[in-house]
Amino acid sequence: MQRRSTERDFSGYNAAQAERPVRPLARAAVSLALEGHRAAGQVPGALGSAPAPVALELGSGAGVEARFLAENGFQVHSYDVDPSVASTFVELARSLPISHTTTDLAQVEAFPAADLVISCATLPFVRRDAFPVLWNRIRDALRPGGILAVDLFGDRDDWAGTDGTFLARDEVEQLLRCADVLELVEEEREGRSFSGPKHWHTYRVLARRI
Ligand SMILES: C[S@@+](CC[C@H](N)C(=O)[O-])C[C@H]1O[C@@H](n2cnc3c(N)ncnc32)[C@H](O)[C@@H]1O
């Protein structure tokens, strides 16, 4: 097992993702965020209307979800530490409102204000010592009423004990005190990862910023 996130083959993983369908978490998050935006009387793209809603994608990987967000009317700011995906984002940015940054999320000092923050299978790879500050920055970026859609990993996951962030349920609940929790699904199962068989312990979170 890799003990450090830097030893993981993220570029190999991302290269294998380009053709997969959009993740259900992203579909659900977009529906909720657009619903909120419309309820506030803001119609993305309408003439003379408010500016497009803003989405942050943390750990964008191959760009599947970033494309989906932009095609649904969001101005997207995406981030990923893997330099191999940068050229894909240069291509996407030619026709879609996506601005991409190659960085370790722990190094981002502030994020743009956002109506939606999405992070699929990425936050657990942020170093545990950097996670609390990153979480506060995410919380601060999310506008009241904004949607938070993230995967977190649990403390019984096979990768717990590496340098990432693996959380007990009460820690997840503490993190979500800043939000109305719409969905918190905890799962444990035997399955596979890109690097082989694995016991997964995950939380899928959908929440609305208070
Ligand atoms: C399991 S992949 C998920 C990618 C994509 N969200 C998806 O659902 O396919 C994890 C992603 O997080 C990125 N990543 C890992 N640690 C990171 C960090 N500390 N800062 C920024 N990105 C990171 C990796 O490069 C990779 O693209």
Side-chain angles (χ1 to χ4, degrees), residues 135-178:
W135 187 264
N136 288 345
R137 288 177 177 155
I138 294 171
R139 185 201 57 204
D140 292 347
L142 201 51
R143 295 185 173 120
I147 297 296
L148 178 71
V150 297
D151 293 315
L152 299 168
F153 287 1
D155 54 356
R156 292 186 296 280
D157 193 274
D158 262 356
W159 292 342
T162 63
D163 64 349
T165 300
F166 299 85
L167 300 161
R169 177 143 187 143
D170 62 333
E171 293 178 292
V172 174
E173 288 168 355
Q174 285 278 334
L175 292 175
L176 294 173
R177 278 180 315 172
C178 61

mmCIF file of all heavy atoms in Angstrom, residues 135-178:
data_model
loop_
_atom_site.group_PDB
_atom_site.id
_atom_site.type_symbol
_atom_site.label_atom_id
_atom_site.label_comp_id
_atom_site.label_asym_id
_atom_site.label_seq_id
_atom_site.Cartn_x
_atom_site.Cartn_y
_atom_site.Cartn_z
ATOM 1 N N TRP A 135 -10.527 22.941 4.744
ATOM 2 C CA TRP A 135 -11.982 22.872 4.944
ATOM 3 C C TRP A 135 -12.554 24.264 5.272
ATOM 4 O O TRP A 135 -13.601 24.661 4.760
ATOM 5 C CB TRP A 135 -12.319 21.871 6.057
ATOM 6 C CG TRP A 135 -13.797 21.654 6.161
ATOM 7 C CD1 TRP A 135 -14.663 22.269 7.018
ATOM 8 C CD2 TRP A 135 -14.593 20.787 5.342
ATOM 9 N NE1 TRP A 135 -15.952 21.836 6.790
ATOM 10 C CE2 TRP A 135 -15.947 20.925 5.777
ATOM 11 C CE3 TRP A 135 -14.305 19.894 4.304
ATOM 12 C CZ2 TRP A 135 -16.997 20.204 5.189
ATOM 13 C CZ3 TRP A 135 -15.351 19.182 3.712
ATOM 14 C CH2 TRP A 135 -16.671 19.356 4.164
ATOM 15 N N ASN A 136 -11.837 25.010 6.114
ATOM 16 C CA ASN A 136 -12.302 26.369 6.448
ATOM 17 C C ASN A 136 -12.328 27.252 5.200
ATOM 18 O O ASN A 136 -13.221 28.091 5.043
ATOM 19 C CB ASN A 136 -11.400 27.002 7.510
ATOM 20 C CG ASN A 136 -11.629 26.347 8.865
ATOM 21 O OD1 ASN A 136 -12.609 25.647 9.065
ATOM 22 N ND2 ASN A 136 -10.691 26.559 9.776
ATOM 23 N N ARG A 137 -11.357 27.058 4.321
ATOM 24 C CA ARG A 137 -11.328 27.871 3.092
ATOM 25 C C ARG A 137 -12.491 27.495 2.166
ATOM 26 O O ARG A 137 -13.069 28.364 1.499
ATOM 27 C CB ARG A 137 -9.980 27.707 2.383
ATOM 28 C CG ARG A 137 -8.899 28.409 3.163
ATOM 29 C CD ARG A 137 -7.513 28.241 2.584
ATOM 30 N NE ARG A 137 -6.590 29.027 3.397
ATOM 31 C CZ ARG A 137 -5.294 28.792 3.533
ATOM 32 N NH1 ARG A 137 -4.738 27.780 2.891
ATOM 33 N NH2 ARG A 137 -4.550 29.574 4.280
ATOM 34 N N ILE A 138 -12.813 26.226 2.118
ATOM 35 C CA ILE A 138 -13.959 25.786 1.314
ATOM 36 C C ILE A 138 -15.238 26.414 1.890
ATOM 37 O O ILE A 138 -16.059 26.991 1.173
ATOM 38 C CB ILE A 138 -14.065 24.237 1.325
ATOM 39 C CG1 ILE A 138 -12.879 23.615 0.611
ATOM 40 C CG2 ILE A 138 -15.388 23.793 0.706
ATOM 41 C CD1 ILE A 138 -12.789 22.098 0.766
ATOM 42 N N ARG A 139 -15.392 26.284 3.207
ATOM 43 C CA ARG A 139 -16.582 26.839 3.888
ATOM 44 C C ARG A 139 -16.694 28.344 3.629
ATOM 45 O O ARG A 139 -17.767 28.865 3.318
ATOM 46 C CB ARG A 139 -16.466 26.553 5.386
ATOM 47 C CG ARG A 139 -17.664 26.967 6.211
ATOM 48 C CD ARG A 139 -17.285 27.128 7.661
ATOM 49 N NE ARG A 139 -16.210 28.086 7.796
ATOM 50 C CZ ARG A 139 -15.348 28.145 8.809
ATOM 51 N NH1 ARG A 139 -15.435 27.285 9.796
ATOM 52 N NH2 ARG A 139 -14.397 29.060 8.853
ATOM 53 N N ASP A 140 -15.562 29.046 3.709
ATOM 54 C CA ASP A 140 -15.589 30.493 3.521
ATOM 55 C C ASP A 140 -15.942 30.875 2.078
ATOM 56 O O ASP A 140 -16.492 31.947 1.833
ATOM 57 C CB ASP A 140 -14.224 31.114 3.894
ATOM 58 C CG ASP A 140 -13.961 31.000 5.388
ATOM 59 O OD1 ASP A 140 -14.897 30.678 6.137
ATOM 60 O OD2 ASP A 140 -12.804 31.221 5.795
ATOM 61 N N ALA A 141 -15.575 30.014 1.130
ATOM 62 C CA ALA A 141 -15.842 30.331 -0.287
ATOM 63 C C ALA A 141 -17.317 30.114 -0.647
ATOM 64 O O ALA A 141 -17.843 30.773 -1.550
ATOM 65 C CB ALA A 141 -14.966 29.457 -1.192
ATOM 66 N N LEU A 142 -17.958 29.194 0.030
ATOM 67 C CA LEU A 142 -19.324 28.825 -0.329
ATOM 68 C C LEU A 142 -20.320 29.885 0.143
ATOM 69 O O LEU A 142 -20.389 30.194 1.332
ATOM 70 C CB LEU A 142 -19.637 27.464 0.293
ATOM 71 C CG LEU A 142 -20.757 26.624 -0.291
ATOM 72 C CD1 LEU A 142 -20.648 26.437 -1.801
ATOM 73 C CD2 LEU A 142 -20.762 25.264 0.405
ATOM 74 N N ARG A 143 -21.058 30.438 -0.806
ATOM 75 C CA ARG A 143 -22.035 31.473 -0.442
ATOM 76 C C ARG A 143 -23.175 30.852 0.372
ATOM 77 O O ARG A 143 -23.509 29.672 0.164
ATOM 78 C CB ARG A 143 -22.625 32.093 -1.712
ATOM 79 C CG ARG A 143 -21.608 32.856 -2.537
ATOM 80 C CD ARG A 143 -22.283 33.553 -3.712
ATOM 81 N NE ARG A 143 -21.348 34.416 -4.400
ATOM 82 C CZ ARG A 143 -21.004 34.307 -5.677
ATOM 83 N NH1 ARG A 143 -21.548 33.378 -6.444
ATOM 84 N NH2 ARG A 143 -20.139 35.137 -6.202
ATOM 85 N N PRO A 144 -23.831 31.624 1.233
ATOM 86 C CA PRO A 144 -25.009 31.091 1.936
ATOM 87 C C PRO A 144 -26.006 30.555 0.903
ATOM 88 O O PRO A 144 -26.250 31.203 -0.111
ATOM 89 C CB PRO A 144 -25.560 32.327 2.662
ATOM 90 C CG PRO A 144 -24.369 33.218 2.834
ATOM 91 C CD PRO A 144 -23.498 33.004 1.619
ATOM 92 N N GLY A 145 -26.520 29.376 1.142
ATOM 93 C CA GLY A 145 -27.441 28.737 0.190
ATOM 94 C C GLY A 145 -26.711 27.896 -0.850
ATOM 95 O O GLY A 145 -27.328 27.128 -1.588
ATOM 96 N N GLY A 146 -25.376 28.044 -0.909
ATOM 97 C CA GLY A 146 -24.593 27.272 -1.881
ATOM 98 C C GLY A 146 -24.553 25.791 -1.535
ATOM 99 O O GLY A 146 -24.767 25.402 -0.387
ATOM 100 N N ILE A 147 -24.245 24.984 -2.548
ATOM 101 C CA ILE A 147 -24.278 23.522 -2.374
ATOM 102 C C ILE A 147 -22.863 22.952 -2.252
ATOM 103 O O ILE A 147 -21.967 23.294 -3.023
ATOM 104 C CB ILE A 147 -24.993 22.853 -3.577
ATOM 105 C CG1 ILE A 147 -26.462 23.299 -3.647
ATOM 106 C CG2 ILE A 147 -24.895 21.323 -3.510
ATOM 107 C CD1 ILE A 147 -27.329 22.884 -2.459
ATOM 108 N N LEU A 148 -22.717 22.084 -1.265
ATOM 109 C CA LEU A 148 -21.463 21.369 -1.036
ATOM 110 C C LEU A 148 -21.705 19.906 -1.403
ATOM 111 O O LEU A 148 -22.632 19.283 -0.873
ATOM 112 C CB LEU A 148 -21.094 21.482 0.446
ATOM 113 C CG LEU A 148 -19.834 20.755 0.891
ATOM 114 C CD1 LEU A 148 -18.588 21.449 0.346
ATOM 115 C CD2 LEU A 148 -19.775 20.703 2.418
ATOM 116 N N ALA A 149 -20.890 19.366 -2.300
ATOM 117 C CA ALA A 149 -21.054 17.973 -2.736
ATOM 118 C C ALA A 149 -19.681 17.321 -2.729
ATOM 119 O O ALA A 149 -18.842 17.597 -3.607
ATOM 120 C CB ALA A 149 -21.647 17.935 -4.139
ATOM 121 N N VAL A 150 -19.419 16.503 -1.724
ATOM 122 C CA VAL A 150 -18.073 15.949 -1.586
ATOM 123 C C VAL A 150 -18.098 14.482 -1.162
ATOM 124 O O VAL A 150 -19.010 14.028 -0.477
ATOM 125 C CB VAL A 150 -17.229 16.740 -0.542
ATOM 126 C CG1 VAL A 150 -17.020 18.180 -0.980
ATOM 127 C CG2 VAL A 150 -17.844 16.702 0.846
ATOM 128 N N ASP A 151 -17.052 13.784 -1.596
ATOM 129 C CA ASP A 151 -16.777 12.445 -1.068
ATOM 130 C C ASP A 151 -15.711 12.575 0.006
ATOM 131 O O ASP A 151 -14.715 13.285 -0.185
ATOM 132 C CB ASP A 151 -16.182 11.543 -2.161
ATOM 133 C CG ASP A 151 -17.161 11.219 -3.273
ATOM 134 O OD1 ASP A 151 -18.323 10.899 -2.971
ATOM 135 O OD2 ASP A 151 -16.746 11.261 -4.454
ATOM 136 N N LEU A 152 -15.940 11.885 1.121
ATOM 137 C CA LEU A 152 -14.916 11.799 2.167
ATOM 138 C C LEU A 152 -14.685 10.312 2.434
ATOM 139 O O LEU A 152 -15.554 9.488 2.123
ATOM 140 C CB LEU A 152 -15.406 12.507 3.437
ATOM 141 C CG LEU A 152 -15.709 14.010 3.271
ATOM 142 C CD1 LEU A 152 -16.457 14.553 4.483
ATOM 143 C CD2 LEU A 152 -14.427 14.802 3.021
ATOM 144 N N PHE A 153 -13.535 9.973 2.986
ATOM 145 C CA PHE A 153 -13.259 8.568 3.316
ATOM 146 C C PHE A 153 -13.246 8.397 4.826
ATOM 147 O O PHE A 153 -12.868 9.316 5.563
ATOM 148 C CB PHE A 153 -11.906 8.114 2.757
ATOM 149 C CG PHE A 153 -11.863 7.921 1.245
ATOM 150 C CD1 PHE A 153 -12.962 8.167 0.433
ATOM 151 C CD2 PHE A 153 -10.694 7.478 0.647
ATOM 152 C CE1 PHE A 153 -12.905 7.996 -0.937
ATOM 153 C CE2 PHE A 153 -10.626 7.303 -0.734
ATOM 154 C CZ PHE A 153 -11.721 7.567 -1.523
ATOM 155 N N GLY A 154 -13.621 7.195 5.243
ATOM 156 C CA GLY A 154 -13.754 6.925 6.663
ATOM 157 C C GLY A 154 -12.511 6.297 7.277
ATOM 158 O O GLY A 154 -11.591 5.854 6.579
ATOM 159 N N ASP A 155 -12.543 6.230 8.601
ATOM 160 C CA ASP A 155 -11.364 5.731 9.330
ATOM 161 C C ASP A 155 -11.226 4.214 9.281
ATOM 162 O O ASP A 155 -10.240 3.658 9.762
ATOM 163 C CB ASP A 155 -11.378 6.243 10.775
ATOM 164 C CG ASP A 155 -12.679 5.925 11.497
ATOM 165 O OD1 ASP A 155 -13.623 5.362 10.872
ATOM 166 O OD2 ASP A 155 -12.772 6.252 12.692
ATOM 167 N N ARG A 156 -12.203 3.512 8.677
ATOM 168 C CA ARG A 156 -12.048 2.064 8.482
ATOM 169 C C ARG A 156 -11.724 1.732 7.026
ATOM 170 O O ARG A 156 -11.769 0.585 6.609
ATOM 171 C CB ARG A 156 -13.324 1.346 8.946
ATOM 172 C CG ARG A 156 -13.514 1.437 10.461
ATOM 173 C CD ARG A 156 -14.684 0.611 10.957
ATOM 174 N NE ARG A 156 -15.956 1.088 10.440
ATOM 175 C CZ ARG A 156 -16.649 2.131 10.913
ATOM 176 N NH1 ARG A 156 -16.187 2.811 11.944
ATOM 177 N NH2 ARG A 156 -17.809 2.490 10.372
ATOM 178 N N ASP A 157 -11.431 2.744 6.247
ATOM 179 C CA ASP A 157 -11.007 2.523 4.864
ATOM 180 C C ASP A 157 -9.617 1.872 4.870
ATOM 181 O O ASP A 157 -8.805 2.152 5.753
ATOM 182 C CB ASP A 157 -10.933 3.885 4.146
ATOM 183 C CG ASP A 157 -10.806 3.741 2.645
ATOM 184 O OD1 ASP A 157 -9.658 3.595 2.153
ATOM 185 O OD2 ASP A 157 -11.847 3.750 1.964
ATOM 186 N N ASP A 158 -9.354 1.012 3.860
ATOM 187 C CA ASP A 158 -8.033 0.363 3.770
ATOM 188 C C ASP A 158 -6.891 1.367 3.714
ATOM 189 O O ASP A 158 -5.771 1.042 4.095
ATOM 190 C CB ASP A 158 -7.954 -0.496 2.494
ATOM 191 C CG ASP A 158 -8.220 -1.965 2.777
ATOM 192 O OD1 ASP A 158 -8.383 -2.315 3.964
ATOM 193 O OD2 ASP A 158 -8.270 -2.753 1.813
ATOM 194 N N TRP A 159 -7.161 2.567 3.186
ATOM 195 C CA TRP A 159 -6.080 3.546 3.032
ATOM 196 C C TRP A 159 -5.918 4.430 4.268
ATOM 197 O O TRP A 159 -5.036 5.282 4.284
ATOM 198 C CB TRP A 159 -6.307 4.406 1.788
ATOM 199 C CG TRP A 159 -6.158 3.639 0.515
ATOM 200 C CD1 TRP A 159 -5.535 2.441 0.340
ATOM 201 C CD2 TRP A 159 -6.653 4.012 -0.779
ATOM 202 N NE1 TRP A 159 -5.600 2.044 -0.975
ATOM 203 C CE2 TRP A 159 -6.285 2.996 -1.689
ATOM 204 C CE3 TRP A 159 -7.372 5.106 -1.264
ATOM 205 C CZ2 TRP A 159 -6.605 3.032 -3.041
ATOM 206 C CZ3 TRP A 159 -7.696 5.150 -2.618
ATOM 207 C CH2 TRP A 159 -7.318 4.122 -3.496
ATOM 208 N N ALA A 160 -6.774 4.249 5.269
ATOM 209 C CA ALA A 160 -6.575 4.999 6.522
ATOM 210 C C ALA A 160 -5.204 4.591 7.068
ATOM 211 O O ALA A 160 -4.832 3.428 7.003
ATOM 212 C CB ALA A 160 -7.676 4.659 7.514
ATOM 213 N N GLY A 161 -4.453 5.546 7.566
ATOM 214 C CA GLY A 161 -3.088 5.224 7.998
ATOM 215 C C GLY A 161 -2.077 5.749 6.992
ATOM 216 O O GLY A 161 -0.887 5.818 7.294
ATOM 217 N N THR A 162 -2.536 6.109 5.783
ATOM 218 C CA THR A 162 -1.648 6.832 4.875
ATOM 219 C C THR A 162 -1.700 8.308 5.271
ATOM 220 O O THR A 162 -2.355 8.679 6.252
ATOM 221 C CB THR A 162 -2.084 6.641 3.404
ATOM 222 O OG1 THR A 162 -3.379 7.201 3.232
ATOM 223 C CG2 THR A 162 -2.128 5.167 3.033
ATOM 224 N N ASP A 163 -1.038 9.170 4.498
ATOM 225 C CA ASP A 163 -0.926 10.568 4.950
ATOM 226 C C ASP A 163 -2.139 11.427 4.596
ATOM 227 O O ASP A 163 -2.117 12.640 4.775
ATOM 228 C CB ASP A 163 0.345 11.216 4.382
ATOM 229 C CG ASP A 163 0.313 11.313 2.866
ATOM 230 O OD1 ASP A 163 -0.580 10.696 2.251
ATOM 231 O OD2 ASP A 163 1.169 12.013 2.297
ATOM 232 N N GLY A 164 -3.227 10.808 4.117
ATOM 233 C CA GLY A 164 -4.424 11.575 3.758
ATOM 234 C C GLY A 164 -5.337 11.798 4.950
ATOM 235 O O GLY A 164 -4.935 11.678 6.111
ATOM 236 N N THR A 165 -6.615 12.117 4.641
ATOM 237 C CA THR A 165 -7.583 12.473 5.691
ATOM 238 C C THR A 165 -8.709 11.442 5.711
ATOM 239 O O THR A 165 -9.483 11.332 4.753
ATOM 240 C CB THR A 165 -8.129 13.886 5.423
ATOM 241 O OG1 THR A 165 -7.020 14.790 5.440
ATOM 242 C CG2 THR A 165 -9.123 14.297 6.489
ATOM 243 N N PHE A 166 -8.791 10.697 6.808
ATOM 244 C CA PHE A 166 -9.758 9.608 6.947
ATOM 245 C C PHE A 166 -10.526 9.863 8.239
ATOM 246 O O PHE A 166 -9.906 9.986 9.298
ATOM 247 C CB PHE A 166 -9.028 8.266 6.951
ATOM 248 C CG PHE A 166 -8.281 8.046 5.662
ATOM 249 C CD1 PHE A 166 -7.005 8.558 5.498
ATOM 250 C CD2 PHE A 166 -8.875 7.401 4.603
ATOM 251 C CE1 PHE A 166 -6.327 8.422 4.297
ATOM 252 C CE2 PHE A 166 -8.213 7.249 3.395
ATOM 253 C CZ PHE A 166 -6.936 7.765 3.233
ATOM 254 N N LEU A 167 -11.837 9.957 8.121
ATOM 255 C CA LEU A 167 -12.608 10.577 9.198
ATOM 256 C C LEU A 167 -13.608 9.617 9.843
ATOM 257 O O LEU A 167 -14.281 8.836 9.144
ATOM 258 C CB LEU A 167 -13.374 11.766 8.620
ATOM 259 C CG LEU A 167 -12.481 12.861 8.003
ATOM 260 C CD1 LEU A 167 -13.304 13.745 7.068
ATOM 261 C CD2 LEU A 167 -11.826 13.690 9.097
ATOM 262 N N ALA A 168 -13.731 9.717 11.171
ATOM 263 C CA ALA A 168 -14.810 9.023 11.877
ATOM 264 C C ALA A 168 -16.102 9.795 11.626
ATOM 265 O O ALA A 168 -16.069 10.991 11.307
ATOM 266 C CB ALA A 168 -14.496 8.992 13.368
ATOM 267 N N ARG A 169 -17.219 9.109 11.796
ATOM 268 C CA ARG A 169 -18.511 9.741 11.486
ATOM 269 C C ARG A 169 -18.718 11.040 12.277
ATOM 270 O O ARG A 169 -19.212 12.023 11.735
ATOM 271 C CB ARG A 169 -19.646 8.759 11.765
ATOM 272 C CG ARG A 169 -20.992 9.415 11.525
ATOM 273 C CD ARG A 169 -21.968 8.502 10.924
ATOM 274 N NE ARG A 169 -23.180 9.246 10.584
ATOM 275 C CZ ARG A 169 -23.901 9.016 9.520
ATOM 276 N NH1 ARG A 169 -23.538 8.106 8.661
ATOM 277 N NH2 ARG A 169 -24.988 9.700 9.274
ATOM 278 N N ASP A 170 -18.352 11.012 13.555
ATOM 279 C CA ASP A 170 -18.598 12.245 14.331
ATOM 280 C C ASP A 170 -17.741 13.410 13.833
ATOM 281 O O ASP A 170 -18.139 14.562 13.919
ATOM 282 C CB ASP A 170 -18.439 12.009 15.835
ATOM 283 C CG ASP A 170 -17.048 11.572 16.218
ATOM 284 O OD1 ASP A 170 -16.361 10.978 15.372
ATOM 285 O OD2 ASP A 170 -16.633 11.833 17.354
ATOM 286 N N GLU A 171 -16.567 13.104 13.258
ATOM 287 C CA GLU A 171 -15.745 14.178 12.683
ATOM 288 C C GLU A 171 -16.429 14.759 11.437
ATOM 289 O O GLU A 171 -16.417 15.971 11.220
ATOM 290 C CB GLU A 171 -14.366 13.645 12.293
ATOM 291 C CG GLU A 171 -13.526 13.229 13.476
ATOM 292 C CD GLU A 171 -12.192 12.663 13.031
ATOM 293 O OE1 GLU A 171 -12.175 11.563 12.431
ATOM 294 O OE2 GLU A 171 -11.176 13.308 13.283
ATOM 295 N N VAL A 172 -17.044 13.884 10.645
ATOM 296 C CA VAL A 172 -17.761 14.362 9.456
ATOM 297 C C VAL A 172 -18.922 15.244 9.903
ATOM 298 O O VAL A 172 -19.140 16.334 9.355
ATOM 299 C CB VAL A 172 -18.268 13.168 8.602
ATOM 300 C CG1 VAL A 172 -19.136 13.657 7.444
ATOM 301 C CG2 VAL A 172 -17.098 12.350 8.083
ATOM 302 N N GLU A 173 -19.642 14.792 10.902
ATOM 303 C CA GLU A 173 -20.792 15.582 11.385
ATOM 304 C C GLU A 173 -20.340 16.947 11.909
ATOM 305 O O GLU A 173 -20.996 17.951 11.687
ATOM 306 C CB GLU A 173 -21.567 14.785 12.434
ATOM 307 C CG GLU A 173 -22.333 13.643 11.768
ATOM 308 C CD GLU A 173 -22.908 12.617 12.740
ATOM 309 O OE1 GLU A 173 -22.628 12.728 13.958
ATOM 310 O OE2 GLU A 173 -23.624 11.713 12.281
ATOM 311 N N GLN A 174 -19.184 16.974 12.568
ATOM 312 C CA GLN A 174 -18.623 18.257 13.052
ATOM 313 C C GLN A 174 -18.333 19.189 11.872
ATOM 314 O O GLN A 174 -18.646 20.377 11.907
ATOM 315 C CB GLN A 174 -17.289 18.016 13.780
ATOM 316 C CG GLN A 174 -17.414 17.417 15.148
ATOM 317 C CD GLN A 174 -17.736 18.488 16.181
ATOM 318 O OE1 GLN A 174 -17.411 19.651 16.017
ATOM 319 N NE2 GLN A 174 -18.428 18.083 17.224
ATOM 320 N N LEU A 175 -17.725 18.626 10.822
ATOM 321 C CA LEU A 175 -17.383 19.454 9.655
ATOM 322 C C LEU A 175 -18.631 20.072 9.035
ATOM 323 O O LEU A 175 -18.582 21.160 8.471
ATOM 324 C CB LEU A 175 -16.691 18.604 8.568
ATOM 325 C CG LEU A 175 -15.309 18.065 8.887
ATOM 326 C CD1 LEU A 175 -14.832 17.147 7.758
ATOM 327 C CD2 LEU A 175 -14.317 19.208 9.081
ATOM 328 N N LEU A 176 -19.752 19.365 9.158
ATOM 329 C CA LEU A 176 -20.970 19.796 8.459
ATOM 330 C C LEU A 176 -21.863 20.695 9.321
ATOM 331 O O LEU A 176 -22.990 21.005 8.920
ATOM 332 C CB LEU A 176 -21.747 18.562 7.980
ATOM 333 C CG LEU A 176 -20.997 17.753 6.909
ATOM 334 C CD1 LEU A 176 -21.736 16.463 6.595
ATOM 335 C CD2 LEU A 176 -20.791 18.581 5.651
ATOM 336 N N ARG A 177 -21.329 21.150 10.440
ATOM 337 C CA ARG A 177 -22.143 22.045 11.280
ATOM 338 C C ARG A 177 -22.458 23.371 10.593
ATOM 339 O O ARG A 177 -23.388 24.056 10.953
ATOM 340 C CB ARG A 177 -21.437 22.313 12.614
ATOM 341 C CG ARG A 177 -21.661 21.186 13.621
ATOM 342 C CD ARG A 177 -20.951 21.500 14.904
ATOM 343 N NE ARG A 177 -19.594 21.981 14.595
ATOM 344 C CZ ARG A 177 -18.749 22.481 15.467
ATOM 345 N NH1 ARG A 177 -19.098 22.595 16.722
ATOM 346 N NH2 ARG A 177 -17.550 22.874 15.113
ATOM 347 N N CYS A 178 -21.667 23.701 9.569
ATOM 348 C CA CYS A 178 -21.868 24.975 8.850
ATOM 349 C C CYS A 178 -22.958 24.846 7.783
ATOM 350 O O CYS A 178 -23.165 25.772 6.993
ATOM 351 C CB CYS A 178 -20.570 25.404 8.170
ATOM 352 S SG CYS A 178 -19.988 24.213 6.945
#
